[in-house]
């Protein structure tokens, strides 16, 4: 099918380009930016007047809950939610049921998502079998099945010897490891350590749990030379350590969640389980440091940390509630909200959800690495058409995700995704 996106304003964070132009799409690729060939005959014309035309978003942290909860058809609903948020590529961690530690599971998951045409899925394989932190997985086979890196999700490896061997193996095969900096012995609380958690009687996760985990990972990465991506960092202290590691030239990248970027522990309110998250929400100084680090490039990417939690798992006392929130439909809006509040250029706000995560993925995505996260002539037609004048309020009814729990419920957001095209297919159409 030939598609013409007409009359929109192109905003390409990779090139900094902002201009009025049409985009012509044929055979799932962008064949013209500006004026299409007179012989181009579109089967469909999308009127983008008044809208921004952006590269499709890349979310480096989103759970689909499959395999594990097929009876709820979550794969279909969450991929549709991704498309509604303008996301055309997403990375899922391996903590499914069963864990993504077998090539057949990875192949099945990729096949099902490709059939739906909603968004492109890049799974992370388990670093250790069943995420138990004991035996390494067959990383080479998992890579051939489609994994773009290796992770322990929220399950830190306790045995440093195992972690060292995993990093040595990954480095020798040119693979990357994606790990959350967290000490296994200090990270078991339900809220950020501080005066509020103490008053509420909640078990805390101290900042040192993250910084100890950071030091351990960085020293192992320095020793092995492995490419290390740090997921969901949450504290000002870690930001400073990350800045030093990058200045040293270590091959390390990092992301932060939209929850840690916008909220603090005060948003827990009176034991509001919607704010039960992992990592927990920290104090205002941490939030401000994360926002500044994302603006100056110390933190590379912004992620949704989407995790659709059933209401039964949230309708519990705070400490017993399952951590997680629905967020993938809010990623673009909350990136723009951060930019507006902090005076960050529009191109940087878009870069952290498009070109920057594409750089984190690098060559692990094969030939897509040449065009992912940008609007490139001849590149894959991953496009988001966004109406900056529209407004909407976050509510359970407004979300496509089956996970209706979000600490952003009730927030009024500026702008709305009108169309999403994933590899040329119209995966979302709100017109």
């Amino acid at each position: 099918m030939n598609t013409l996106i007409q009359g929109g304003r192109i905003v390409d964070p990779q090139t900094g380009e902002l201009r009025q132009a049409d985009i012509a799409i044929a055979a799932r690729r962008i064949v013209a930016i500006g004026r299409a060939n007179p012989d181009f005959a579109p089967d469909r014309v999308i009127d983008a007047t008044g809208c921004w035309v952006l590269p499709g978003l890349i979310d480096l942290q989103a759970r689909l809950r499959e395999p594990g909860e097929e009876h709820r058809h979550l794969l279909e609903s969450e991929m549709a939610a991704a498309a509604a948020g303008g996301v055309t590529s997403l990375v899922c961690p391996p903590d499914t049921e069963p864990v993504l530690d077998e090539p057949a599971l990875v192949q099945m998951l990729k096949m099902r998502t490709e059939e739906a045409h909603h968004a492109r899925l890049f799974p992370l394989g388990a670093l250790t079998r069943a995420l138990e932190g004991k035996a390494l997985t067959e990383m080479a086979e998992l890579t051939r099945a489609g994994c773009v890196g290796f992770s322990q999700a929220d399950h830190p490896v306790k045995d440093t010897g195992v972690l060292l061997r995993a990093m040595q193996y990954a480095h020798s095969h040119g693979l990357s490891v994606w790990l959350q900096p967290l000490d296994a012995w200090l990270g078991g609380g339900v809220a950020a350590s501080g005066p509020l958690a103490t008053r509420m009687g909640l078990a805390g996760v101290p900042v040192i749990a993250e910084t100890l985990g950071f030091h351990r990972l960085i020293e192992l990465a320095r020793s092995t030379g492995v490419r290390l991506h740090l997921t969901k960092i949450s504290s000002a202290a870690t930001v400073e350590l990350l800045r030093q590691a990058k200045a040293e030239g270590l091959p390390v990248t990092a992301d932060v969640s939209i929850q840690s970027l916008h909220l603090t522990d005060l948003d827990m309110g009176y034991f509001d389980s919607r704010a039960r998250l992992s990592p927990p929400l920290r104090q205002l100084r941490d939030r401000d440091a994360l926002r500044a680090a994302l603006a100056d490039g110390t933190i590379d990417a912004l992620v949704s940390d989407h995790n659709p939690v059933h209401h039964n798992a949230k309708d519990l006392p705070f400490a017993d509630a399952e951590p997680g929130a629905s967020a993938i439909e809010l990623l673009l809006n909350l990136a723009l909200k951060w930019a507006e509040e902090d005076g960050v250029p529009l191109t940087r706000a878009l870069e952290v959800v498009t070109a920057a995560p594409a750089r984190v993925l690098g060559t692990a995505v094969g030939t897509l690495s040449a065009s992912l996260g940008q609007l490139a002539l001849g590149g894959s037609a991953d496009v988001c058409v966004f109406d900056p004048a529209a407004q909407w309020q976050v509510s359970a009814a407004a979300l496509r995700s089956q996970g209706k729990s979000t600490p952003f419920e009730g927030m009024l957001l500026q702008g709305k995704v009108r169309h999403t095209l994933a590899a040329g297919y119209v995966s979302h159409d709100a017109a």
Side-chain angles (χ1 to χ4, degrees), residues 371-410:
S371 64
L372 211 60
Q374 57 182 304
L375 297 173
L377 199 59
S380 180
D382 295 347
V383 185
C384 170
V385 179
F386 182 78
D387 181 358
Q391 287 187 329
W392 64 290
Q393 189 168 32
V394 181
S395 67
L399 296 177
R400 301 289 182 93
S401 170
Q402 287 191 46
K404 302 300 182 184
S405 174
T406 166
F408 298 107
E409 185 171 3

Side-chain angles (χ1 to χ4, degrees), residues 107-281:
Q107 291 166 342
M108 180 273 294
L109 188 59
K110 285 187 69 68
M111 182 183 68
R112 288 193 57 202
T113 54
E114 287 167 4
E115 288 174 347
H117 298 308
H118 282 305
R120 195 177 287 111
L121 178 69
F122 297 121
L124 295 174
L127 196 65
T128 62
R129 290 198 172 279
L131 300 176
E132 291 178 344
K134 297 176 181 175
L136 303 189
T137 57
E138 297 291 343
M139 285 186 255
E141 290 185 15
L142 288 166
T143 300
R144 284 192 285 274
C147 290
V148 297
F150 293 87
S151 170
Q152 283 289 116
D154 295 342
H155 302 264
V157 176
K158 296 178 181 177
D159 188 327
T160 305
V162 171
L163 196 53
L164 175 62
R165 288 195 297 277
M167 288 192 177
Q168 287 172 331
Y169 184 89
H171 176 61
S172 68
H173 288 73
L175 310 174
S176 63
V177 294
W178 299 42
L179 297 168
Q180 184 177 351
L182 186 67
D183 182 86
W185 306 105
L186 297 176
V190 299
S193 292
L196 184 62
T198 300
R199 283 202 303 273
M200 296 172 73
L202 296 172
V205 180
V207 167
I208 196 174
E210 187 169 281
T211 54
L212 274 177
F214 179 93
H215 282 296
R216 182 171 177 248
L217 294 179
I218 284 293
E219 289 307 316
L220 289 170
R222 191 199 311 276
S223 171
T224 61
V226 74
R227 282 185 294 117
L228 172 65
H229 180 67
L230 298 167
T231 63
K232 300 191 296 182
I233 66 171
S234 69
S235 73
T238 305
V239 165
E240 187 52 38
L241 293 170
L242 175 63
R243 189 169 283 126
Q244 294 170 18
K246 285 196 163 188
E248 190 182 333
L250 294 176
V252 57
T253 52
D255 65 52
V256 61
S257 75
I258 55 174
Q259 292 81 12
S260 292
L261 194 72
H262 282 279
L263 305 176
T264 71
D265 58 351
L266 295 175
D267 290 292
M268 289 191 300
Y270 190 69
F271 300 101
D272 185 348
S273 64
R274 294 175 301 178
R276 171 83 165 90
L277 302 168
S278 176
L281 298 171

Side-chain angles (χ1 to χ4, degrees), residues 5 11-12 23 25 28-30 53-58 86-90 117-122 354 358 368-369 371-376 378-385 419-425 427:
I5 302 174
V11 187
D12 191 339
I23 289 184
I25 297 166
R28 306 174 66 182
R29 294 193 173 276
I30 295 174
V53 182
L54 321 169
L57 273 62
I58 303 169
V87 175
T88 54
S89 297
L90 59 90
H117 298 308
H118 282 305
R120 195 177 287 111
L121 178 69
F122 297 121
T354 55
L368 285 169
S369 62
S371 64
L372 211 60
Q374 57 182 304
L375 297 173
S380 180
D382 295 347
V383 185
C384 170
V385 179
H419 306 274
T420 303
L421 286 80
Y425 291 100
S427 56

